[in-house]
Amino acid sequence: MSEKIIFPIRINRYLTLKGLSARRSAADSLIEAGLVFINGKQAGLGDRVQETDRVIVLKNNLHAKKLIYIAFYKPKEIAIKDAINIPGAFSTDQLDKESEGLIILTNDKRIMERIPNPRFVHEKEYDIEIIEKIPAARAEKNIGSGIVANGQKISAKKVKILGSHKMTVIMLEGEKEQISKILSSLQLTIKTLRRKRIMNILLGDMKPGESRPLEDTDRKAFLASFGLK
């Protein structure tokens, strides 16, 4: 007869009683590997589970390879390499230390192989705050038409001015350096930059440092964008 779960309960004990790990030490290993989530937030040792909480284990066998796909809100002032604490996972693109927002983490090496291929280009949407006042009358047109830098055309797919100092920009090439070059041509300087969308995957109401696994529709769409299932 299985032991009754009495809430609230420590997460490692919960995993053991639910049969998601063979013993408590194995549960601790899952948690330390960043593979356990409570209500979309990565669990830590000592966290407690309430009866209404949603617990997800991305991999219940540390020795069996399971592909993971995670949306993560990279905080400002933290490099991606320092933000990732899931063994074997990597970010599918870059977001510099001074910027914040959505990145996608995965351990699927097939994606790494496809990222450099120009066939697999993805929309990335940013909220940007500008130090100077934006010349709205010409900014949308000029940012959209882009510039030529080092013999390469750099342009935004879509621009929307939201106020005298704010805009949203959709890029197919999402590095901040490219956005900065376009804005610099208008004598505009980025104060803050937050990525809020990659393809159909939204940052949503996640807070800096929070993450959630891509599930069902999001995961299928993400894989399909790289020609995968």
Side-chain angles (χ1 to χ4, degrees):
M1 183 176 177
S2 59
E3 182 179 337
K4 182 180 178 180
I5 298 177
I6 300 176
F7 296 95
I9 184 173
R10 288 174 67 92
I11 180 61
N12 55 2
R13 181 67 174 157
Y14 175 86
L15 296 178
T16 304
L17 293 180
K18 292 290 286 186
L20 297 171
S21 65
R23 55 191 182 279
R24 193 174 300 187
S25 60
D28 288 344
S29 296
L30 286 169
I31 296 164
E32 290 174 339
L35 302 173
V36 180
F37 291 79
I38 302 173
N39 298 327
K41 185 176 181 180
Q42 194 174 87
L45 292 173
D47 283 355
R48 291 183 175 272
V49 178
Q50 303 289 341
E51 189 169 5
T52 56
D53 288 341
R54 185 185 184 203
V55 177
I56 294 175
V57 179
L58 297 180
K59 181 163 53 176
N60 59 17
N61 184 344
L62 291 176
H63 303 289
K65 176 77 169 182
K66 184 174 181 180
L67 300 179
I68 59 174
Y69 311 94
I70 298 172
F72 176 71
Y73 189 147
K74 187 195 86 66
K76 191 175 181 180
E77 302 298 336
I78 296 179
I80 286 181
K81 63 181 180 64
D82 297 324
I84 299 174
N85 61 0
I86 301 175
F90 60 89
S91 172
T92 59
D93 65 343
Q94 296 301 310
L95 196 60
D96 66 20
K97 185 175 180 179
E98 290 74 26
S99 303
E100 63 182 294
L102 181 65
I103 61 174
I104 306 298
L105 307 178
T106 182
N107 61 353
D108 190 340
K109 293 183 179 179
R110 300 174 300 169
I111 292 174
M112 176 78 81
E113 295 167 355
R114 285 166 167 75
I115 287 174
N117 192 322
R119 283 178 52 207
F120 306 113
V121 177
H122 304 119
E123 282 190 2
K124 302 179 181 74
E125 187 170 358
Y126 301 83
D127 285 333
I128 302 175
E129 185 176 359
I130 303 297
I131 293 176
E132 301 83 6
K133 186 175 181 179
I134 301 170
R138 61 190 179 92
E140 289 188 9
K141 179 181 178 181
N142 288 11
I143 296 171
S145 59
I147 61 171
V148 175
N150 299 323
Q152 181 183 11
K153 180 70 176 292
I154 304 174
S155 62
K157 181 177 180 180
K158 186 175 181 180
V159 180
K160 184 175 182 180
I161 306 302
L162 301 177
S164 58
H165 295 275
K166 294 183 179 181
M167 66 175 72
T168 61
V169 177
I170 297 176
M171 299 286 292
L172 297 181
E173 298 289 339
E175 296 183 11
K176 182 181 176 182
E177 179 183 356
Q178 293 181 319
I179 300 175
S180 296
K181 287 179 179 178
I182 298 173
L183 295 177
S184 293
S185 70
L186 294 171
Q187 288 77 53
L188 297 177
T189 310
I190 294 174
K191 181 178 180 181
T192 63
L193 181 146
R194 182 178 71 107
R195 184 193 286 159
K196 64 180 181 180
R197 178 173 68 87
I198 299 176
M199 305 180 313
N200 65 309
I201 301 168
L202 303 176
L203 186 65
D205 59 1
M206 285 198 302
K207 301 295 188 297
E210 290 185 346
S211 57
R212 70 175 189 272
L214 300 187
E215 297 180 339
D216 303 327
T217 303
D218 280 350
R219 184 180 67 253
K220 290 177 182 177
F222 176 72
L223 290 173
S225 73
F226 287 100
L228 300 171
K229 292 183 178 180

